[in-house]
Amino acid sequence: MTRSDVPPGAGAVLDVDLTAIVANWRTLCARHPAGPVAGIVKADAYGLGARRVAPALRDAGCQHFFVAHLDEALGIRPLLAGSMLGVLNGLLAGSEETFVTDNITPVLGSIPEVDRWAALAGRVGRKLPAILHVDTGMARLGLDAKELTLLRQDPARLSSIDVLYIMTHLVSSELSGDPLNHEQRARFETACIGLPPVPRSLANSSGIFLGEDFGSDLARPGAALYGINPTPGATNPMRPVARLHTRVLQVRTIEAGESVGYNAIWRATRRSQIATAALGYGDGWPRSLSGQGKAFFDGRAVPLVGRVSMDLTTFDITDHPDIHTGAWLEVIGPNCSLDEVAAAAGTVGYEILTSLGGRFHRIYHAS
Ligand SMILES: *Cc1c(COP(=O)(O)O)cnc(C)c1O
């Protein structure tokens, strides 16, 4: 492969297909007829660039966005005029005013957060919008049973809050047979009794594929937008959106018995050709792929040998005489999906994507 669209000095290139992300959002909308589908763009849109991804989704008609941190929200708020932008991690004390001035919606997950938001509403003299987060089993964030009882006993606590949604988050949605999914759905129903009769938000990416019981007034997918399979074990219904290529910097010949890389964990058993490529754990390419990952060239697998180091990865190209200095090796793409790379590295696609560093040359495609 040659690339004329990449500067000559680029050692690795990440291609992000914005059209495919939008197509994935439309697929999710079709799978979730119960209500609209938000775009989760936390962690810089799972590593792919929230400042490019969020406006593309907004232009396609997406009207609800979520990030984890207030700082992330501030970074993209100017690009999303008119859309709801929620902060999943809640309302840290002292940050309340910023939520108001920048029109960012807090996801309130505890009584102190509710009370601080209500108090600010009192001070500014108008109802303030928020989302209530109910814990139905994740036990990380969200109102617990005791706190829900307090809210039911004292509805005035919410009287100055415009509750846009009540939401909860599924623990095991990617395991469609896990009884926890239906248990959480039932707990969510019960939890909402006695709370304001407002729209609800339930499914993440995999939740959308659990069937119509998991439909709600707002789905919240992230991973599936970015091509991660929301139905592990079955065919991926989403389009891939990211490709990663790395460049061969040098090719060398080593003799049988010689080693490659840190700690000499790989030794040649024959006279071998080694290609060193410009990619390492400093780019988010996992060190756990040492000795077991692979790349592809012209559709053929090229074994990764030795340790993945910070900036460099080595491949045994003895059986690929057509690979020369300057060649581009595919490490995520049509031949090696994100989920396959993740499985080889002993992790999930979420971690691979969100780890992708800022060092790549990035190209955004919109067809
Ligand atoms: C990250 C997150 C999501 C999106 O989850 P995916 O599995 O990536 O679709 C939805 N809701 C909450 C509360 C989250 O933290």
Side-chain angles (χ1 to χ4, degrees):
M1 190 185 85
T2 53
R3 294 200 60 149
S4 52
D5 56 344
V6 177
V13 56
L14 181 72
D15 290 276
V16 180
D17 186 342
L18 293 170
T19 306
I21 295 174
V22 166
N24 285 339
W25 179 73
R26 294 212 168 96
T27 298
L28 295 166
C29 292
R31 296 283 194 139
H32 191 265
V37 173
I40 307 288
V41 292
K42 63 188 179 187
D44 202 21
Y46 290 48
L48 297 180
R51 297 180 60 82
R52 298 301 298 262
V53 170
L57 289 172
R58 197 269 322 270
D59 290 348
C62 182
Q63 293 179 333
H64 305 83
F65 294 88
F66 289 93
V67 290
H69 294 267
L70 176 57
D71 267 356
E72 295 183 282
L74 293 173
I76 56 172
R77 175 77 279 184
L79 306 173
L80 295 174
S83 305
M84 192 206 85
L85 178 54
V87 168
L88 293 165
N89 279 3
L91 186 67
L92 282 168
S95 70
E96 299 86 351
E97 308 271 353
T98 307
F99 278 85
V100 176
T101 51
D102 287 82
N103 184 24
I104 294 163
T105 306
V107 175
L108 305 174
S110 71
I111 289 285
E113 290 180 19
V114 168
D115 287 350
R116 277 191 277 106
W117 195 237
L120 181 58
R123 288 202 297 280
V124 300
R126 63 181 164 93
K127 275 192 158 194
L128 292 178
I131 294 171
L132 282 189
H133 185 178
V134 171
D135 180 21
T136 55
M138 189 70 96
R140 302 183 308 186
L141 299 174
L143 296 148
D144 64 19
K146 262 196 222 143
E147 292 180 299
L148 287 170
T149 304
L150 288 175
L151 279 189
R152 288 190 201 97
Q153 287 168 345
D154 185 6
R157 254 188 158 119
L158 290 174
S159 61
S160 61
I161 298 178
D162 178 14
V163 181
L164 304 180
Y165 295 94
I166 301 178
M167 63 164 258
T168 196
H169 193 38
L170 296 166
V171 170
S172 281
S173 56
E174 79 282 12
L175 306 174
S176 59
D178 192 325
L180 249 179
N181 292 319
H182 283 282
E183 263 171 52
Q184 278 192 278
R185 202 175 50 81
R187 284 182 211 152
F188 189 37
E189 286 293 319
T190 309
C192 288
I193 296 170
L195 296 180
V198 301
R200 297 182 194 168
S201 174
L202 174 60
N204 64 333
S205 297
S206 297
I208 291 173
F209 292 85
L210 288 175
E212 59 184 32
D213 286 352
F214 291 82
S216 69
D217 302 299
L218 184 68
R220 304 186 313 273
L225 292 172
Y226 310 114
I228 294 172
N229 187 358
T231 58
T235 309
N236 190 350
M238 313 318 298
R239 271 175 63 174
V241 311
R243 285 178 296 145
L244 180 59
H245 287 86
T246 179
R247 210 153 194 209
V248 174
L249 302 173
Q250 283 195 16
V251 173
R252 69 189 54 240
T253 304
I254 61 166
E255 301 301 328
E258 288 183 344
S259 70
V260 172
Y262 283 118
N263 306 129
I265 63 166
W266 186 84
R267 250 173 227 288
T269 56
R270 56 176 173 169
R271 184 164 219 251
S272 300
Q273 295 287 109
I274 299 297
T276 303
L279 181 70
Y281 60 78
D283 301 293
W285 181 244
R287 189 170 178 272
S288 58
L289 287 175
S290 297
Q292 55 163 337
K294 56 189 166 195
F296 281 79
F297 185 79
D298 269 351
R300 287 171 297 136
V302 186
L304 187 163
V305 293
R307 277 243 202 282
V308 172
S309 51
M310 188 185 294
D311 318 302
L312 299 168
T313 299
T314 39
F315 296 91
D316 177 2
I317 60 165
T318 314
D319 298 327
H320 300 269
D322 45 347
I323 299 180
H324 302 290
T325 297
W328 289 97
L329 303 178
E330 172 193 335
V331 290
I332 296 173
N335 291 294
C336 35
S337 74
L338 191 58
D339 290 304
E340 285 166 340
V341 171
T347 182
V348 289
Y350 292 73
E351 189 176 352
I352 301 290
L353 267 192
T354 56
S355 303
L356 294 179
R359 204 155 59 161
F360 306 128
H361 184 73
R362 286 176 183 238
I363 300 181
Y364 288 89
H365 303 264
S367 52

